[in-house]
Amino acid sequence: MPEGHTLHRLASSLGDAFAGRPVRVSSPQGRFAADAALVDGHPVVASESAGKHLFIEFPGERFIHVHLGLIGRFDVRPGPAGAPVGEVRLRLQNETAYADLRGATQCDLVSVERHDQILGALGPDPLRADADPMVAWARIGRSNRPIGDLLMDQKVLAGVGNIYRAEVLFRHRVHPLRPGKTLRVGQFRAMWHDLVMLMHEGVLSGRIDTVRPEHTPEAMGRPPRVDGHGGEVYVYRRAGQPCLVCGTKVRTGELSGRNLFWCSRCQPTFRSRAVR
DNA sequence: AGCTCATGGCGAG
DNA sequence: TCGCCCTGAGCTG
């Protein structure tokens, strides 16, 4: 679930459901109970996302700061709410809607200073209109680190997770282990604009779909696929299956403790490109 | 009932 | 680089 598009969607659905009206704030599971009591019954001022961070603003420049981590989820549903199911860390509710947060790595009540500090530490977010891709390029273009690493580094570029990383690299035929400095600026710009488009689509659909129409299984005369994560993708979690473009088996590996997927033919290494 | 895994990120060594 | 935190689903036995 949680890459930048999920948080962006959440910010708007939470705003739609709760902004401008008093909201009941509770913590059925208990861990957020003390902080919940401090804002319980106050109106939500606004909700906002930046990268994978979510902020729900309350009067007096107080913010509930949420980071879903790997397994967190925040479900916004029409109300009224029933008894909480499972470990609900935070529940927001009014007469018409409720939202349950589970499994988040972070859920804290923070000041505007902390809010600003978190935002200040993030690289540009493709989903924010004010983002400047050249800020990310300033680091990528002189780094020896693999581009696959840099794209997931939230200080370099915010909101991209493992799926968007794998897919944008595939779409631009870039091997994940290529050092950032071996990319050309035009290549990075193209990847950035692609992320802007893909992630905005993700915000609208709530899924990650990256396969161009001409490469869908239907267009290629193959049986339709079912992806566990709910979107159509080229390489993410498709290890051992044929590449949708060239038929080569999709490869997998690990980079900084995270799963990596790529097509060795469509995404040649820098060295073999130079030789070829 | 108990394991393993997941679209993250942190701190210890 | 490793272990750990958060939770639930999907296995295995």
Side-chain angles (χ1 to χ4, degrees), chain A residues 132-146:
Chain A
D132 177 4
M134 289 303 101
V135 172
W137 176 248
R139 300 207 28 196
I140 293 170
R142 58 184 169 77
S143 176
N144 285 312
R145 289 166 57 199

Side-chain angles (χ1 to χ4, degrees), chain A residues 73-126:
Chain A
R73 50 187 303 161
F74 206 168
D75 299 308
V76 186
R77 302 231 166 83
V85 175
E87 300 292 304
V88 177
R89 176 98 52 92
L90 163 67
R91 170 173 275 187
L92 301 178
Q93 62 185 319
N94 59 24
E95 314 73 47
T96 55
Y98 70 101
D100 284 349
L101 175 70
R102 298 179 176 82
T105 46
Q106 290 184 56
C107 176
D108 304 293
L109 192 62
V110 301
S111 65
V112 68
E113 287 77 18
R114 175 69 183 139
H115 163 275
D116 293 349
Q117 182 187 8
I118 291 164
L119 261 58
L122 293 175
D125 176 349

Side-chain angles (χ1 to χ4, degrees), chain A residues 17-38:
Chain A
F18 302 112
R21 288 185 287 166
V23 63
R24 298 308 312 255
V25 183
S26 59
S27 178
Q29 171 242 36
R31 252 189 235 209
F32 186 67
D35 281 344
L38 296 176

Side-chain angles (χ1 to χ4, degrees), chain A residues 53 72 171 228:
Chain A
H53 296 261
R171 285 167 59 98

Side-chain angles (χ1 to χ4, degrees), chain A residues 162-182:
Chain A
N162 209 4
I163 305 181
Y164 283 123
R165 162 176 80 172
E167 296 300 306
V168 79
L169 287 171
F170 178 89
R171 285 167 59 98
H172 294 263
R173 305 178 59 89
V174 174
H175 193 286
L177 298 186
R178 270 181 63 179
K181 61 160 55 164
T182 68

Side-chain angles (χ1 to χ4, degrees), chain A residues 201-216:
Chain A
E201 280 185 13
V203 170
L204 294 179
S205 68
R207 350 187 309 171
I208 299 181
D209 293 290
T210 60
V211 179
R212 297 185 176 93
E214 64 268 32
H215 297 140
T216 58

